[in-house]
Amino acid sequence: MISSSHANATMHDETQNEETTSLVFDALFLQNNSNIPQQFIWPEGEKPCTEPPPPLHVPPIDLNDYLSGDPLAVSNATRLVNQACRKHGFFLVVNHGIDSKLINEAHKNMDFFFEKPLVEKERAKRKLGDYCGYASSFTSRFSCNLPWKETLSFRYSAEVPSSEHIVQSYILNVMGQEYTHFGNVYQKYCEEMSKLSLKVMELLGESLGVGRAYFREFFEGNDSIMRLNYYPPCQKPDLTLGTGPHCDPTSLTILHQDNVGGLEVFVDEKWHSIPPNTNAFVVNIGDTFMVMSNGTYKSCLHRAVVNSRRPRKSLAFFLCPKKDKIVSPPKELITRNVPRKFPDFTWPVFLEFTQKHYRADKKTLDAFVHWLLHKGY
């Protein structure tokens, strides 16, 4: 756990950053500008590597083989996942069963949205303190170390029938009837990601020794977040980052990258690149699942770099528990030698912390625990 002085030093209250609202990140203009605004220039020690980082070699997990129940396939998959998640919290899944046509359509519709003029994209502008909507960088929250990217985020809920068309409805409400197909695509994509997440949770449960059902059942009514990431070209890619170093506060991230590249993971005290593989999904452990594993599995520290030639796109599904679920490890993962490492909490409290009080980085969970105990939750 970090000290209170560190936690307080890294706290960020959105209400104190109103001076940043005058800065506008208009990607269609800035992607051709060789003089990038100072707010996007990162400190010397945090800028992208001067030489391309080595690739991280991670054996892909054949999900279809694992789900077949073949003892050798199950043993192999659980062993590989356990090794990866104990070390850095990152792995790939292939033969995942998601229709490639749906994935391609989801990528194509990102172009449809992000290539629109800023004034149209801002019809879905994210409100201060909210996580849904369009964000052009973090110009309304922070005044330095800004990421070179645009995002569109929306809520997905697996609860039926009350949230059956939640994505479609949101897109129609904020963007209008001409986005009907757009909303349909991401509604379907989220539904498929939710199903895939539950299969991955079976694998994680078995690899941790608590059985296939435990985490799958915990996340069956998940209340998750879908995010479309769009990284425009930057004429000075050596000065900025598409996304700064951070661990996801959510439970599990299932990411699909395009073929451009730019994702990097911090392992063995250095950055490694994750080569694009359009047949695979990138999966990483988030802070909330690290808590559920009682610290056995590590939240993955990662970032994204940009380039001067082509935009990069990624589809990120952040699996989160239902709002009333208590985030706590199963009793099998608590022993005399491995006592409880984190207090109980609910996901909405952690989400509020990241949206209103703290900028996600590699110490988010430590800072949240300190804040939680200080607040007396």
Side-chain angles (χ1 to χ4, degrees), residues 10 41 71 73 102 188 208 212 242 269 274 345-346 349 367:
T10 51
I41 298 177
L102 176 62
K188 180 63 175 173
L208 279 165
R212 285 191 177 193
E269 300 303 313
I274 305 301
F345 59 88
T346 59
V349 176

Side-chain angles (χ1 to χ4, degrees), residues 123 166-177:
R123 283 157 59 183
I166 186 169
V167 174
Q168 290 167 304
S169 298
Y170 172 77
I171 295 296
L172 283 176
N173 286 340
V174 299
M175 295 303 296
Q177 290 295 325

Side-chain angles (χ1 to χ4, degrees), residues 96 118 139 157 232 238 255 267 372 376:
H96 41 69
L118 181 63
T139 55
S157 172
D238 56 322
L255 182 89
V267 182
L372 198 65

Side-chain angles (χ1 to χ4, degrees), residues 164-351:
E164 202 165 5
H165 304 289
I166 186 169
V167 174
Q168 290 167 304
S169 298
Y170 172 77
I171 295 296
L172 283 176
N173 286 340
V174 299
M175 295 303 296
Q177 290 295 325
E178 64 268 37
Y179 282 80
T180 298
H181 177 68
F182 183 91
N184 291 345
V185 167
Y186 293 114
Q187 177 72 46
K188 180 63 175 173
Y189 188 86
C190 287
E191 289 167 359
E192 293 301 305
M193 287 300 100
S194 178
K195 294 173 188 174
L196 178 58
S197 299
L198 297 184
K199 293 174 183 177
V200 173
M201 279 297 165
E202 289 186 30
L203 175 57
L204 292 173
E206 196 156 7
S207 70
L208 279 165
V210 301
R212 285 191 177 193
Y214 186 90
F215 293 121
R216 180 190 178 95
E217 290 174 358
F218 185 88
F219 286 98
E220 274 181 346
N222 64 84
D223 199 317
S224 299
I225 302 167
M226 181 71 211
R227 179 165 297 156
L228 314 182
N229 294 308
Y230 193 85
Y231 303 90
C234 176
Q235 298 309 308
K236 295 288 179 66
D238 56 322
L239 299 181
T240 190
L241 289 171
T243 301
H246 70 287
C247 297
D248 294 332
T250 50
S251 299
L252 194 73
T253 302
I254 298 189
L255 182 89
H256 194 274
Q257 334 184 54
D258 62 11
N259 59 8
V260 174
L263 177 62
E264 296 181 354
V265 176
F266 196 71
V267 182
D268 294 330
E269 300 303 313
K270 62 181 177 182
W271 289 103
H272 294 73
S273 66
I274 305 301
N277 179 348
T278 54
N279 295 318
F281 280 98
V282 174
V283 181
N284 69 262
I285 301 298
D287 289 337
T288 298
F289 192 80
M290 183 174 171
V291 172
M292 296 192 71
S293 74
N294 200 30
T296 303
Y297 283 179
K298 302 296 184 287
S299 189
C300 175
L301 180 62
H302 57 288
R303 70 180 185 182
V305 299
V306 293
N307 69 83
S308 60
R309 304 173 307 281
R310 292 192 290 170
R312 174 179 176 259
K313 294 173 290 180
S314 68
L315 299 153
F317 182 83
F318 300 105
L319 181 71
C320 310
K322 277 179 66 175
K323 294 179 179 180
D324 60 350
K325 290 277 190 178
I326 304 297
V327 175
S328 184
K331 63 182 185 300
E332 293 92 333
L333 300 181
I334 305 166
T335 66
R336 181 176 296 177
N337 293 329
V338 188
R340 283 289 301 275
K341 295 183 177 178
F342 307 97
D344 289 350
F345 59 88
T346 59
W347 165 242
V349 176
F350 197 2
L351 178 60

Side-chain angles (χ1 to χ4, degrees), residues 84-105:
C85 292
R86 284 176 180 271
K87 184 172 185 180
H88 49 65
F90 173 90
F91 57 97
L92 303 177
V93 293
V94 295
N95 291 331
H96 41 69
I98 308 299
D99 189 346
S100 61
K101 292 180 181 177
L102 176 62
I103 297 171
N104 292 338
E105 192 68 14

